[in-house]
């Protein structure tokens, strides 16, 4: 540090020099100009006081410069404009990563299989930072592709597991069919002749259950009877297809649920379900493109490179063959199937009844046809957050013109239907019309099943009921609140993870298995 007085005494210069830290140059830090050659002692005192304050800082800066020269690296606090090596290194690495972010990875690029191999290659080949960043990006792209491929394979395997028939249920149907052909008790009339008048008695509570799953049907019926306060007033109408009829009849003939009454009837036993009376289903079976959509290659037309696993799962779900099954469309023909009944409770075969349902017959539907739970509001934000835009393609001009994307839908699975009011509407005709329009548009209006056309057909005919009557989502949501499940009147395993499948959720399965009937019969699995 040096102090210079000009010959004229008009300025004072304070400087510091650092040979190594500042390349041997003198850095001027302060220069004080004096207005006159002669000044008072007071002015001199002020100058000396100012110097006494500044000189310690000048000394510190000189010392820092000297240390930097000795250590050959930046030293000192960052507010002095100095950058730590690690900070500069990170900043430089960010720049390198940005540079290689858009760079193409060479086709023959050798990508390490693990982090340890990457470190070994760096030591052996002395990679520079840019090469290291490019290899790191290539590794990330490779691992992301492998994870994505695994997730897509998981979705595909889950789809196959959900659409297949478990060995136990298949064998049960075969054993029951054999019983029907060899055991007279398995062929006894259902219901007995003396109870036939009850099938059309509107003072009883009638339950409609379409299904081709014997075990699932038994759980629905048993859980309903066990939960009822008045089981002697319950009449079940189980409707199945021709191939399952013998097994279904055998089961309920050999395992009565007295005092409730059970009728088992095959689709082939309803005259009104002849193909000539159901033009939509006839078109579904004859149109080759529709049949291939449901029965062809499940991944045809799907770009696996651009689709997310969740979108892929949704596409597979829309290709389930059950959507062109007559059992699935059966619900739209209930007034014709049961011409003598005024009010019925419709149930899917993947539900469990946990509470007495007789109060549902006391609900005043106010002239509406369908008493159902809406799925746009409720405690479960994941399941109860559906709107029309979830089910329909509003880029289709017909859909955009006819529907409101923010309209609230409702759920199938547990519905109280007023068949008397239904017969005075055009619900069936509206349903047929829109299904045909969707077929003509090559399924561009909606993809998923029979609910979308029903949402259109029942518009203006739905009476919302309390959500506690019908809890949904147990077949596709693992984090379902168990306490809410216990409180619900009907729980619905809608989704792929059915409780009778291995992919069912273990913590939700007991609500179903506890209603599965077990006794001494050799045909019960």
């Amino acid at each position: 540090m040096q102090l210079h007085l000009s010959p004229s005494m008009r300025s004072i210069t304070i400087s510091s020099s650092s040979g190594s830290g500042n390349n041997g140059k003198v850095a001027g830090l302060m220069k004080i100009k004096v207005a006159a050659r002669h000044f008072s002692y007071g002015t001199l005192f002020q100058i000396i006081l100012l110097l006494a304050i500044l000189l310690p800082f000048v000394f510190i800066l000189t010392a820092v410069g000297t240390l930097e020269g000795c250590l050959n690296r930046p030293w000192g606090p960052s507010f002095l404009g100095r950058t730590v090596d690690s900070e500069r290194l990170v900043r430089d690495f960010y720049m390198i990563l940005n540079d290689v972010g858009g760079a193409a990875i060479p086709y023959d690029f050798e990508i390490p299989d693990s982090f340890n191999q990457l470190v070994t290659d760096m030591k052996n080949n002395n990679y520079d930072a840019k090469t290291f960043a490019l290899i790191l990006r290539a590794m990330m792209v490779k691992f992301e592709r492998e994870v994505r491929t695994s997730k897509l394979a998981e979705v595909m395997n889950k789809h196959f597991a959900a659409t297949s028939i478990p060995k136990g249920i298949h064998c049960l149907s075969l054993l029951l069919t054999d019983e029907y052909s060899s055991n007279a008790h398995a062929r006894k009339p259902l219901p007995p002749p003396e109870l036939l008048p009850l099938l059309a008695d509107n003072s009883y509570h009638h339950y409609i259950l379409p299904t081709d799953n014997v075990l699932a049907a038994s759980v629905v019926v048993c859980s309903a009877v066990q939960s009822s306060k008045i089981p002697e007033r319950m009449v079940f109408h189980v409707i199945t297809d021709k191939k399952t009829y013998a097994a279904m009849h055998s089961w309920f003939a050999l395992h009565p649920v007295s005092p409730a009454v059970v009728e088992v009837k095959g689709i082939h036993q309803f005259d009104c379900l002849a193909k000539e009376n159901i033009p939509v289903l006839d078109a579904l079976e004859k149109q080759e493109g529709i049949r291939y959509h449901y029965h062809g290659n499940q991944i045809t037309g799907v770009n696996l490179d651009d689709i997310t696993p969740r979108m892929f799962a949704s596409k597979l779900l829309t290709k389930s063959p059950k959507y062109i099954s007559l059992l699935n469309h059966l619900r739209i023909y209930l007034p014709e199937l049961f011409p003598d009944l005024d009010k019925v409770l419709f149930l899917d075969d993947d539900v469990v009844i946990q509470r007495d349902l007789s109060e549902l017959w006391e609900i005043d539907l106010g002239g509406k046809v369908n008493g159902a739970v809406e799925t746009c509001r409720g405690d479960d934000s994941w399941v109860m957050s559906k709107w029309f835009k979830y089910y329909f393609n509003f880029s289709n001009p017909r859909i955009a013109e006819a529907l409101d994307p923010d309209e609230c839908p409702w759920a199938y699975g547990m519905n109280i239907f007023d068949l008397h009011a239904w017969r005075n509407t055009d619900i069936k005709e509206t349903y047929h019309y829109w299904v045909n329009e969707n077929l003509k548009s090559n399924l561009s209006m909606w993809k998923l099943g029979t609910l979308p056309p029903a949402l259109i057909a029942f518009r203006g005919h739905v009476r919302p009921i309390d959500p506690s009557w019908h809890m949904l989502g147990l077949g596709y949501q693992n984090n379902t609140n168990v306490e809410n499940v216990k409180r619900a009147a009907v729980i619905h395993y809608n989704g792929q993870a059915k409780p009778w499948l291995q992919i069912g959720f273990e913590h939700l399965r007991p609500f179903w298995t506890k209603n599965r009937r077990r006794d001494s019969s050799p045909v019960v699995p």
Side-chain angles (χ1 to χ4, degrees):
M1 179 178 62
Q2 298 178 356
L3 183 66
H4 300 277
L5 295 175
S6 65
S8 62
M9 293 295 291
R10 290 184 179 275
S11 66
I12 302 173
T13 303
I14 303 170
S15 64
S16 63
S17 62
S18 177
S20 58
N22 294 292
N23 300 323
K25 295 180 181 180
V26 176
L29 297 180
M30 180 172 292
K31 186 172 183 180
I32 304 173
K33 292 185 178 181
V34 183
R37 183 176 297 183
H38 302 286
F39 47 85
S40 65
Y41 286 106
T43 303
L44 181 61
F45 175 76
Q46 293 175 0
I47 294 173
I48 294 174
L49 181 61
L50 180 61
L51 292 175
I53 296 173
L54 294 177
L55 286 178
F57 290 100
V58 174
F59 174 77
I60 292 173
L61 291 174
T62 304
V64 169
T66 304
L67 285 172
E68 287 180 349
C70 295
L71 299 176
N72 196 26
R73 68 177 179 83
W75 193 87
S78 59
F79 68 83
L80 295 176
R82 306 179 186 279
T83 303
V84 181
D85 278 345
S86 60
E87 295 177 359
R88 184 166 58 242
L89 179 62
V90 171
R91 186 181 64 237
D92 294 343
F93 193 60
Y94 284 159
M95 294 177 61
I96 294 173
L97 289 176
N98 287 332
D99 291 341
V100 303
I105 300 175
Y107 178 76
D108 56 348
F109 205 60
E110 294 186 6
I111 304 174
D113 293 325
S114 65
F115 177 77
N116 290 335
Q117 184 181 345
L118 173 62
V119 173
T120 301
D121 291 347
M122 288 183 63
K123 291 180 180 178
N124 296 337
N125 300 318
N126 296 322
Y127 292 145
D128 57 20
K130 187 171 184 179
T131 304
F132 168 75
L134 188 61
I135 294 176
L136 189 63
R137 176 172 173 263
M139 290 180 66
M140 292 297 297
V141 170
K142 174 187 175 184
F143 294 151
E144 287 176 358
R145 187 184 299 114
E146 291 177 350
V147 169
R148 190 169 171 280
T149 301
S150 298
K151 288 183 177 180
L152 292 175
E154 179 187 5
V155 168
M156 178 67 79
N157 292 334
K158 189 174 182 179
H159 171 71
F160 289 144
T163 54
S164 62
I165 301 175
K167 181 180 179 180
I169 293 179
H170 177 66
C171 292
L172 174 63
S173 294
L174 293 178
L175 288 170
L176 289 168
T177 302
D178 181 66
E179 286 288 318
Y180 186 82
S181 63
S182 60
N183 186 344
H185 293 288
R187 296 192 302 273
K188 67 182 180 181
L190 288 177
E194 63 272 17
L195 297 180
L196 282 176
L198 300 184
L199 299 181
D201 190 336
N202 282 296
S203 66
Y204 282 74
H205 295 162
H206 294 265
Y207 298 77
I208 312 298
L209 176 61
T211 178
D212 60 355
N213 187 324
V214 176
L215 198 58
S218 72
V219 169
V220 175
V221 173
C222 286
S223 65
V225 172
Q226 291 171 4
S227 302
S228 177
K229 296 177 182 178
I230 47 173
E232 66 276 6
R233 299 189 64 80
M234 304 177 77
V235 178
F236 292 90
H237 304 266
V238 180
I239 305 175
T240 190
D241 55 20
K242 191 172 184 178
K243 66 179 176 58
T244 316
Y245 172 76
M248 192 74 69
H249 191 283
S250 294
W251 175 272
F252 287 104
L254 297 172
H255 306 90
V257 288
S258 299
V261 175
V262 177
E263 175 195 30
V264 177
K265 204 166 183 180
I267 291 176
H268 58 287
Q269 296 172 320
F270 288 96
D271 294 334
C272 64
L273 291 181
K275 282 187 178 180
E276 56 270 17
N277 297 328
I278 311 176
V280 171
L281 292 180
D282 191 44
L284 284 171
E285 292 185 355
K286 288 182 178 178
Q287 190 166 333
E288 184 176 350
I290 300 301
R291 286 188 56 79
Y292 185 77
H293 174 82
Y294 289 106
H295 292 285
N297 191 325
Q298 297 289 293
I299 62 174
T300 298
V302 178
N303 188 345
L304 297 180
D305 292 330
D306 296 333
I307 195 170
T308 65
R310 186 171 180 177
M311 291 174 60
F312 185 47
S314 297
K315 285 185 176 292
L316 288 177
L317 184 61
T318 65
K319 290 175 174 285
S320 175
K322 73 176 183 178
Y323 293 129
I324 56 173
S325 164
L326 181 54
L327 279 176
N328 202 43
H329 289 264
L330 195 67
R331 60 200 77 190
I332 205 67
Y333 304 106
L334 292 181
E336 289 83 5
L337 298 179
F338 302 97
D340 298 320
L341 297 181
D342 293 335
K343 209 169 192 180
V344 299
L345 184 67
F346 178 88
L347 297 172
D348 277 348
D349 64 359
D350 53 356
V351 304
V352 173
I353 290 82
Q354 302 186 126
R355 203 167 74 210
D356 178 54
L357 301 182
S358 58
E359 294 180 19
L360 288 171
W361 273 264
E362 308 303 323
I363 294 178
D364 182 10
L365 296 181
K368 304 294 185 181
V369 172
N370 180 6
V373 168
E374 292 183 320
T375 55
C376 65
R377 55 182 66 92
D379 294 334
D380 193 330
S381 59
W382 173 256
V383 177
M384 309 297 282
S385 60
K386 304 291 193 303
W387 305 90
F388 266 35
K389 57 189 174 186
Y390 177 84
Y391 296 99
F392 297 98
N393 175 22
F394 277 88
S395 63
N396 184 290
R398 292 291 307 280
I399 293 295
E401 180 183 356
L403 303 177
D404 178 3
D406 295 322
E407 189 169 340
C408 187
W410 45 270
Y412 263 142
M414 194 227 54
N415 308 81
I416 184 76
F417 286 121
D418 185 338
L419 300 186
H420 179 73
W422 190 338
R423 294 185 186 99
N424 297 320
T425 69
D426 60 350
I427 290 175
K428 183 182 72 171
E429 290 73 20
T430 303
Y431 183 90
H432 284 170
Y433 172 80
W434 281 99
V435 170
N436 272 315
E437 290 299 304
N438 193 37
L439 290 175
K440 292 176 184 177
S441 69
N442 196 26
L443 303 182
S444 66
M445 293 182 176
W446 67 81
K447 297 290 186 184
L448 187 61
T450 56
L451 179 58
L455 291 176
I456 301 176
F458 280 98
R459 291 181 80 196
H461 301 291
V462 178
R463 161 72 158 80
I465 62 176
D466 191 279
S468 64
W469 284 109
H470 186 191
M471 183 177 182
L472 298 114
L474 276 70
Y476 64 84
Q477 184 178 225
N478 190 26
N479 60 343
T480 299
N481 188 301
V482 174
E483 293 304 316
N484 291 341
V485 173
K486 294 177 181 178
R487 291 192 293 267
V490 175
I491 55 176
H492 194 171
Y493 291 86
N494 58 313
Q496 290 183 317
K498 304 298 185 188
W500 55 83
L501 299 175
Q502 290 185 349
I503 60 175
F505 301 125
E506 291 297 331
H507 66 295
L508 299 177
R509 196 192 309 274
F511 294 96
W512 185 84
T513 55
K514 70 180 181 181
N515 293 282
R516 190 173 64 181
R517 183 161 183 169
R518 296 179 183 274
D519 55 24
S520 58
S521 172
V523 297
V524 179

